[in-house]
Amino acid sequence: MSENLDLVRSIYAAWERGDFSSAEWAHPEIEYVFAGGPEPGRRTGLTGMAEGWREWLNAWEDYPVEADEYRELDEERVLVLSRYSGRGKTSGLEVGRMRTDGATLFHVRDGKVTRFVGYWDRDRAPADLGLKE
């Protein structure tokens, strides 16, 4: 197993415990992207990433995350196929009733994540990356 895969597994291990507080894994100039979903957008830097996470997580009573599969695509990229659930604070809407199978693409260089792309729709990630299922 590569160091990049170890890093991504450690990030997801924290998230699976409900701990989204650490950004030690992120490069100071990280590009943080949400492709699709209810609030698509792009932010840069640790502050931008923290604001994006805070806005997203504050919309949910809880936001359980579970990794289904890790795919090491090349020397710098790790794709994680994952599952999300939760209940919206304002709407009360259960995520489980919507599409809940997502993906996250991590670009890792020198032990830090330089680019994070979150996909609300799991099928979009391989399509965007030109990968076969």
Side-chain angles (χ1 to χ4, degrees):
M1 190 179 331
S2 78
E3 291 179 16
N4 291 348
L5 188 54
D6 284 343
L7 174 64
V8 171
R9 283 183 184 272
S10 73
I11 294 167
Y12 258 84
W15 292 353
E16 288 175 339
R17 291 188 309 272
D19 182 0
F20 296 90
S21 64
S22 177
E24 291 178 18
W25 49 268
H27 187 277
E29 296 175 20
I30 188 171
E31 180 182 11
Y32 176 79
V33 179
F34 265 99
E39 295 191 28
R42 177 182 175 276
R43 297 172 184 256
T44 56
L46 293 174
T47 301
M49 183 180 76
E51 289 169 355
W53 269 121
R54 189 170 30 260
E55 288 172 12
W56 179 255
L57 294 172
N58 282 338
W60 304 98
E61 286 181 23
D62 62 72
Y63 189 67
V65 175
E66 180 182 345
D68 289 334
E69 182 182 343
Y70 296 87
R71 296 182 186 174
E72 200 162 16
L73 303 179
D74 54 36
E75 292 180 1
E76 291 189 355
R77 298 180 305 161
V78 176
L79 179 66
V80 183
L81 304 181
S82 48
R83 187 173 318 276
Y84 313 112
S85 60
R87 177 188 300 273
K89 283 184 181 176
T90 303
S91 68
L93 181 64
E94 294 277 348
V95 172
R97 294 188 183 156
M98 301 185 314
R99 182 179 298 263
T100 59
D101 293 335
T104 307
L105 177 66
F106 294 87
H107 290 248
V108 183
R109 186 175 300 135
D110 298 326
K112 295 288 185 182
V113 176
T114 59
R115 186 168 193 253
F116 167 104
V117 183
Y119 291 92
W120 186 257
D121 178 352
R122 176 181 289 188
D123 295 333
R124 182 171 170 192
D128 280 2
L129 299 168
L131 302 174
K132 296 179 181 177
E133 281 298 308

PDB file of all heavy atoms in Angstrom, residues 23-40:
ATOM      1  N   ALA A  23      -7.172  19.348   9.401  1.00  0.00           N
ATOM      2  CA  ALA A  23      -6.775  19.713   8.040  1.00  0.00           C
ATOM      3  C   ALA A  23      -5.272  19.520   7.871  1.00  0.00           C
ATOM      4  O   ALA A  23      -4.681  20.034   6.931  1.00  0.00           O
ATOM      5  CB  ALA A  23      -7.169  21.152   7.746  1.00  0.00           C
ATOM      6  N   GLU A  24      -4.662  18.777   8.793  1.00  0.00           N
ATOM      7  CA  GLU A  24      -3.215  18.540   8.719  1.00  0.00           C
ATOM      8  C   GLU A  24      -2.812  17.863   7.420  1.00  0.00           C
ATOM      9  O   GLU A  24      -1.686  18.009   6.967  1.00  0.00           O
ATOM     10  CB  GLU A  24      -2.762  17.697   9.910  1.00  0.00           C
ATOM     11  CG  GLU A  24      -2.841  18.416  11.222  1.00  0.00           C
ATOM     12  CD  GLU A  24      -2.419  17.533  12.381  1.00  0.00           C
ATOM     13  OE1 GLU A  24      -1.761  16.508  12.150  1.00  0.00           O
ATOM     14  OE2 GLU A  24      -2.758  17.885  13.522  1.00  0.00           O
ATOM     15  N   TRP A  25      -3.735  17.146   6.829  1.00  0.00           N
ATOM     16  CA  TRP A  25      -3.486  16.408   5.597  1.00  0.00           C
ATOM     17  C   TRP A  25      -3.503  17.299   4.354  1.00  0.00           C
ATOM     18  O   TRP A  25      -3.074  16.886   3.287  1.00  0.00           O
ATOM     19  CB  TRP A  25      -4.520  15.285   5.437  1.00  0.00           C
ATOM     20  CG  TRP A  25      -5.938  15.746   5.644  1.00  0.00           C
ATOM     21  CD1 TRP A  25      -6.634  15.737   6.816  1.00  0.00           C
ATOM     22  CD2 TRP A  25      -6.813  16.292   4.660  1.00  0.00           C
ATOM     23  NE1 TRP A  25      -7.898  16.242   6.622  1.00  0.00           N
ATOM     24  CE2 TRP A  25      -8.032  16.586   5.310  1.00  0.00           C
ATOM     25  CE3 TRP A  25      -6.704  16.554   3.294  1.00  0.00           C
ATOM     26  CZ2 TRP A  25      -9.136  17.120   4.631  1.00  0.00           C
ATOM     27  CZ3 TRP A  25      -7.782  17.093   2.626  1.00  0.00           C
ATOM     28  CH2 TRP A  25      -8.981  17.378   3.302  1.00  0.00           C
ATOM     29  N   ALA A  26      -4.003  18.512   4.488  1.00  0.00           N
ATOM     30  CA  ALA A  26      -4.215  19.395   3.335  1.00  0.00           C
ATOM     31  C   ALA A  26      -3.034  20.333   3.103  1.00  0.00           C
ATOM     32  O   ALA A  26      -2.479  20.901   4.040  1.00  0.00           O
ATOM     33  CB  ALA A  26      -5.487  20.214   3.533  1.00  0.00           C
ATOM     34  N   HIS A  27      -2.691  20.512   1.842  1.00  0.00           N
ATOM     35  CA  HIS A  27      -1.689  21.495   1.437  1.00  0.00           C
ATOM     36  C   HIS A  27      -2.251  22.895   1.723  1.00  0.00           C
ATOM     37  O   HIS A  27      -3.461  23.120   1.575  1.00  0.00           O
ATOM     38  CB  HIS A  27      -1.397  21.331  -0.060  1.00  0.00           C
ATOM     39  CG  HIS A  27      -0.283  22.173  -0.542  1.00  0.00           C
ATOM     40  ND1 HIS A  27      -0.454  23.490  -0.893  1.00  0.00           N
ATOM     41  CD2 HIS A  27       1.026  21.887  -0.725  1.00  0.00           C
ATOM     42  CE1 HIS A  27       0.707  23.993  -1.274  1.00  0.00           C
ATOM     43  NE2 HIS A  27       1.622  23.035  -1.181  1.00  0.00           N
ATOM     44  N   PRO A  28      -1.423  23.859   2.118  1.00  0.00           N
ATOM     45  CA  PRO A  28      -1.931  25.203   2.426  1.00  0.00           C
ATOM     46  C   PRO A  28      -2.698  25.853   1.268  1.00  0.00           C
ATOM     47  O   PRO A  28      -3.580  26.684   1.504  1.00  0.00           O
ATOM     48  CB  PRO A  28      -0.666  26.009   2.744  1.00  0.00           C
ATOM     49  CG  PRO A  28       0.336  24.992   3.155  1.00  0.00           C
ATOM     50  CD  PRO A  28       0.015  23.743   2.398  1.00  0.00           C
ATOM     51  N   GLU A  29      -2.396  25.469   0.035  1.00  0.00           N
ATOM     52  CA  GLU A  29      -3.074  26.066  -1.121  1.00  0.00           C
ATOM     53  C   GLU A  29      -3.994  25.063  -1.812  1.00  0.00           C
ATOM     54  O   GLU A  29      -4.195  25.105  -3.025  1.00  0.00           O
ATOM     55  CB  GLU A  29      -2.035  26.614  -2.088  1.00  0.00           C
ATOM     56  CG  GLU A  29      -1.228  27.748  -1.481  1.00  0.00           C
ATOM     57  CD  GLU A  29      -0.111  28.236  -2.388  1.00  0.00           C
ATOM     58  OE1 GLU A  29      -0.162  27.985  -3.599  1.00  0.00           O
ATOM     59  OE2 GLU A  29       0.815  28.877  -1.862  1.00  0.00           O
ATOM     60  N   ILE A  30      -4.571  24.165  -1.041  1.00  0.00           N
ATOM     61  CA  ILE A  30      -5.442  23.121  -1.589  1.00  0.00           C
ATOM     62  C   ILE A  30      -6.557  23.710  -2.450  1.00  0.00           C
ATOM     63  O   ILE A  30      -7.077  24.788  -2.157  1.00  0.00           O
ATOM     64  CB  ILE A  30      -6.044  22.260  -0.447  1.00  0.00           C
ATOM     65  CG1 ILE A  30      -6.787  21.049  -1.022  1.00  0.00           C
ATOM     66  CG2 ILE A  30      -6.923  23.099   0.465  1.00  0.00           C
ATOM     67  CD1 ILE A  30      -7.213  20.035   0.031  1.00  0.00           C
ATOM     68  N   GLU A  31      -6.872  23.011  -3.517  1.00  0.00           N
ATOM     69  CA  GLU A  31      -8.050  23.342  -4.322  1.00  0.00           C
ATOM     70  C   GLU A  31      -9.154  22.393  -3.859  1.00  0.00           C
ATOM     71  O   GLU A  31      -8.991  21.172  -3.902  1.00  0.00           O
ATOM     72  CB  GLU A  31      -7.775  23.141  -5.806  1.00  0.00           C
ATOM     73  CG  GLU A  31      -8.969  23.469  -6.670  1.00  0.00           C
ATOM     74  CD  GLU A  31      -8.740  23.221  -8.149  1.00  0.00           C
ATOM     75  OE1 GLU A  31      -7.722  22.587  -8.506  1.00  0.00           O
ATOM     76  OE2 GLU A  31      -9.586  23.643  -8.932  1.00  0.00           O
ATOM     77  N   TYR A  32     -10.254  22.940  -3.409  1.00  0.00           N
ATOM     78  CA  TYR A  32     -11.353  22.191  -2.804  1.00  0.00           C
ATOM     79  C   TYR A  32     -12.584  22.371  -3.683  1.00  0.00           C
ATOM     80  O   TYR A  32     -13.087  23.479  -3.837  1.00  0.00           O
ATOM     81  CB  TYR A  32     -11.567  22.758  -1.400  1.00  0.00           C
ATOM     82  CG  TYR A  32     -12.712  22.196  -0.621  1.00  0.00           C
ATOM     83  CD1 TYR A  32     -12.608  20.960   0.011  1.00  0.00           C
ATOM     84  CD2 TYR A  32     -13.887  22.913  -0.480  1.00  0.00           C
ATOM     85  CE1 TYR A  32     -13.661  20.457   0.753  1.00  0.00           C
ATOM     86  CE2 TYR A  32     -14.939  22.421   0.270  1.00  0.00           C
ATOM     87  CZ  TYR A  32     -14.820  21.196   0.882  1.00  0.00           C
ATOM     88  OH  TYR A  32     -15.857  20.704   1.622  1.00  0.00           O
ATOM     89  N   VAL A  33     -13.046  21.272  -4.308  1.00  0.00           N
ATOM     90  CA  VAL A  33     -14.109  21.350  -5.310  1.00  0.00           C
ATOM     91  C   VAL A  33     -15.242  20.400  -4.942  1.00  0.00           C
ATOM     92  O   VAL A  33     -14.992  19.253  -4.572  1.00  0.00           O
ATOM     93  CB  VAL A  33     -13.568  20.956  -6.709  1.00  0.00           C
ATOM     94  CG1 VAL A  33     -14.672  21.005  -7.755  1.00  0.00           C
ATOM     95  CG2 VAL A  33     -12.398  21.827  -7.104  1.00  0.00           C
ATOM     96  N   PHE A  34     -16.476  20.875  -5.066  1.00  0.00           N
ATOM     97  CA  PHE A  34     -17.632  19.992  -5.031  1.00  0.00           C
ATOM     98  C   PHE A  34     -18.245  20.010  -6.421  1.00  0.00           C
ATOM     99  O   PHE A  34     -18.707  21.045  -6.896  1.00  0.00           O
ATOM    100  CB  PHE A  34     -18.658  20.419  -3.978  1.00  0.00           C
ATOM    101  CG  PHE A  34     -18.485  19.692  -2.684  1.00  0.00           C
ATOM    102  CD1 PHE A  34     -17.819  20.282  -1.635  1.00  0.00           C
ATOM    103  CD2 PHE A  34     -18.949  18.397  -2.544  1.00  0.00           C
ATOM    104  CE1 PHE A  34     -17.625  19.599  -0.445  1.00  0.00           C
ATOM    105  CE2 PHE A  34     -18.763  17.703  -1.360  1.00  0.00           C
ATOM    106  CZ  PHE A  34     -18.097  18.304  -0.309  1.00  0.00           C
ATOM    107  N   ALA A  35     -18.215  18.857  -7.083  1.00  0.00           N
ATOM    108  CA  ALA A  35     -18.727  18.715  -8.446  1.00  0.00           C
ATOM    109  C   ALA A  35     -20.171  18.246  -8.378  1.00  0.00           C
ATOM    110  O   ALA A  35     -20.442  17.121  -7.982  1.00  0.00           O
ATOM    111  CB  ALA A  35     -17.873  17.718  -9.218  1.00  0.00           C
ATOM    112  N   GLY A  36     -21.083  19.107  -8.697  1.00  0.00           N
ATOM    113  CA  GLY A  36     -22.494  18.738  -8.658  1.00  0.00           C
ATOM    114  C   GLY A  36     -23.043  18.773  -7.255  1.00  0.00           C
ATOM    115  O   GLY A  36     -22.456  19.357  -6.346  1.00  0.00           O
ATOM    116  N   GLY A  37     -24.201  18.150  -7.090  1.00  0.00           N
ATOM    117  CA  GLY A  37     -24.833  18.120  -5.776  1.00  0.00           C
ATOM    118  C   GLY A  37     -25.593  19.388  -5.477  1.00  0.00           C
ATOM    119  O   GLY A  37     -25.739  20.263  -6.315  1.00  0.00           O
ATOM    120  N   PRO A  38     -26.062  19.503  -4.240  1.00  0.00           N
ATOM    121  CA  PRO A  38     -26.877  20.653  -3.873  1.00  0.00           C
ATOM    122  C   PRO A  38     -26.126  21.984  -3.878  1.00  0.00           C
ATOM    123  O   PRO A  38     -26.731  23.020  -4.097  1.00  0.00           O
ATOM    124  CB  PRO A  38     -27.365  20.337  -2.458  1.00  0.00           C
ATOM    125  CG  PRO A  38     -26.821  19.017  -2.091  1.00  0.00           C
ATOM    126  CD  PRO A  38     -25.953  18.523  -3.189  1.00  0.00           C
ATOM    127  N   GLU A  39     -24.814  21.963  -3.626  1.00  0.00           N
ATOM    128  CA  GLU A  39     -24.047  23.207  -3.589  1.00  0.00           C
ATOM    129  C   GLU A  39     -22.693  23.038  -4.263  1.00  0.00           C
ATOM    130  O   GLU A  39     -21.662  23.012  -3.597  1.00  0.00           O
ATOM    131  CB  GLU A  39     -23.861  23.670  -2.142  1.00  0.00           C
ATOM    132  CG  GLU A  39     -25.155  24.047  -1.472  1.00  0.00           C
ATOM    133  CD  GLU A  39     -24.947  24.750  -0.157  1.00  0.00           C
ATOM    134  OE1 GLU A  39     -23.907  25.406   0.015  1.00  0.00           O
ATOM    135  OE2 GLU A  39     -25.833  24.631   0.695  1.00  0.00           O
ATOM    136  N   PRO A  40     -22.682  22.941  -5.602  1.00  0.00           N
ATOM    137  CA  PRO A  40     -21.390  22.804  -6.286  1.00  0.00           C
ATOM    138  C   PRO A  40     -20.582  24.087  -6.144  1.00  0.00           C
ATOM    139  O   PRO A  40     -21.140  25.170  -5.976  1.00  0.00           O
ATOM    140  CB  PRO A  40     -21.780  22.557  -7.733  1.00  0.00           C
ATOM    141  CG  PRO A  40     -23.157  23.111  -7.877  1.00  0.00           C
ATOM    142  CD  PRO A  40     -23.805  22.993  -6.520  1.00  0.00           C
TER     143      PRO A  40
END
